[in-house]
Amino acid sequence: AQTVTQSQPEMSVQEAETVTLSCTYDTSENNYYLFWYKQPPSRQMILVIRQEAYKQQNATENRFSVNFQKAAKSFSLKISDSQLGDTAMYFCAFRPEETSGSRLTFGEGTQLTVNP
Amino acid sequence: EPEVTQTPSHQVTQMGQEVILRCVPISNHLYFYWYRQILGQKVEFLVSFYNNEISEKSEIFDDQFSVERPDGSNFTLKIRSTKLEDSAMYFCASTPGQYNEQFFGPGTRLTVL
């Protein structure tokens, strides 16, 4: 079974600065997908970024980028130029390769607060 | 932009009562999911559903739970006899293909008294 761990329950950052959220996971699979989801106070979970394990290049989406270290089973999220609207709970999630089902396994979440 | 909707936003029920949580997935999506999040805990997978049958379920999804797509738009989660420990936020998700992004609804907060 896979596990996902987010060791930072809460983080804060000043507007316009950069923050990195940590995530580690454990799996015996070689091919899988990793995600970061954002859950603002409205509670609706929104996909921020995804990474395929077979890709060595780190995914980027505008101000969001990941540092994927497959050997270390680490998948951190970097948010550059933080904005007030980035305040939310961030969940790291794992999905196995295509032949092993499509359920998402989530971490505990990190509450990020962006301060003005 | 299309989105997944869920009703009600908050449901309060007495222990032992049956509840039905409703979801309207995005219209062209084919795969549907239920997840739950007990307060202060992780989001946990419950069940996935495709072509009018369960495709995968977790150990949480026992005989007290059932899912149904009664018509072309709704996707429901029924809990037959609620327990205190069923109190949680329940999220519905849908996706056009099994390995595409899962789009989540806003959740239903279930409180069992």
Side-chain angles (χ1 to χ4, degrees):
Chain A
Q2 296 84 16
T3 59
V4 178
T5 302
Q6 294 177 250
S7 58
Q8 304 154 315
E10 297 179 357
M11 291 195 73
S12 62
V13 64
Q14 291 300 120
E15 196 174 6
E17 294 188 347
T18 295
V19 64
T20 299
L21 309 184
S22 300
C23 172
T24 59
Y25 59 93
D26 190 27
T27 183
S28 57
E29 303 210 14
N30 189 47
N31 294 319
Y32 46 87
Y33 303 85
L34 295 163
F35 306 86
W36 279 97
Y37 276 88
K38 169 185 177 181
Q39 186 183 42
S42 65
R43 306 294 302 184
Q44 194 139 9
M45 283 211 283
I46 304 160
L47 180 66
V48 174
I49 199 166
R50 61 179 280 167
Q51 174 81 42
E52 290 86 352
Y54 63 85
K55 290 186 178 178
Q56 292 189 341
Q57 187 172 6
N58 289 323
T60 63
E61 286 288 340
N62 301 313
R63 298 183 294 108
F64 299 88
S65 62
V66 299
N67 183 6
F68 173 49
Q69 302 287 330
K70 190 173 183 180
K73 295 181 181 173
S74 169
F75 181 62
S76 60
L77 174 70
K78 185 171 83 170
I79 306 174
S80 304
D81 186 25
S82 298
Q83 300 175 359
L84 296 178
D86 295 334
T87 292
M89 182 73 91
Y90 287 81
F91 290 99
C92 178
F94 173 102
R95 196 190 73 203
E97 65 175 332
E98 296 179 0
T99 56
S100 303
S102 59
R103 69 166 73 181
L104 292 170
T105 299
F106 287 88
E108 301 89 342
T110 296
Q111 176 63 49
L112 176 67
T113 301
V114 180
N115 298 309
Chain B
E1 186 172 335
E3 57 184 24
V4 177
T5 60
Q6 291 185 242
T7 55
S9 57
H10 189 192
Q11 172 100 40
V12 181
T13 189
Q14 295 290 326
M15 189 170 57
Q17 294 296 306
E18 174 183 286
V19 295
I20 298 176
L21 309 183
R22 290 183 168 79
C23 167
V24 179
I26 295 172
S27 64
N28 63 340
H29 286 189
L30 302 175
Y31 294 83
F32 314 112
Y33 304 82
W34 283 102
Y35 293 84
R36 80 171 185 191
Q37 184 182 27
I38 295 172
L39 186 64
Q41 297 186 24
K42 296 184 179 188
V43 177
E44 301 170 293
F45 168 79
L46 291 177
V47 65
S48 60
F49 189 85
Y50 169 71
N51 198 26
N52 280 322
E53 62 183 31
I54 291 172
S55 49
E56 191 180 2
K57 63 181 180 180
S58 73
E59 56 280 0
I60 302 168
F61 194 87
D62 60 21
D63 292 343
Q64 291 296 315
F65 292 90
S66 62
V67 289
E68 191 178 32
R69 189 154 162 83
D71 53 41
S73 60
N74 288 284
F75 177 52
T76 62
L77 174 70
K78 182 193 290 187
I79 309 175
R80 288 189 183 80
S81 177
T82 50
K83 307 183 185 96
L84 295 176
E85 55 265 36
D86 293 327
S87 293
M89 196 77 158
Y90 288 80
F91 293 101
C92 172
S94 71
T95 181
Q98 189 175 7
Y99 305 110
N100 295 95
E101 171 190 350
Q102 293 181 23
F103 292 83
F104 283 80
T108 292
R109 180 172 299 282
L110 176 65
T111 302
V112 182
L113 302 176

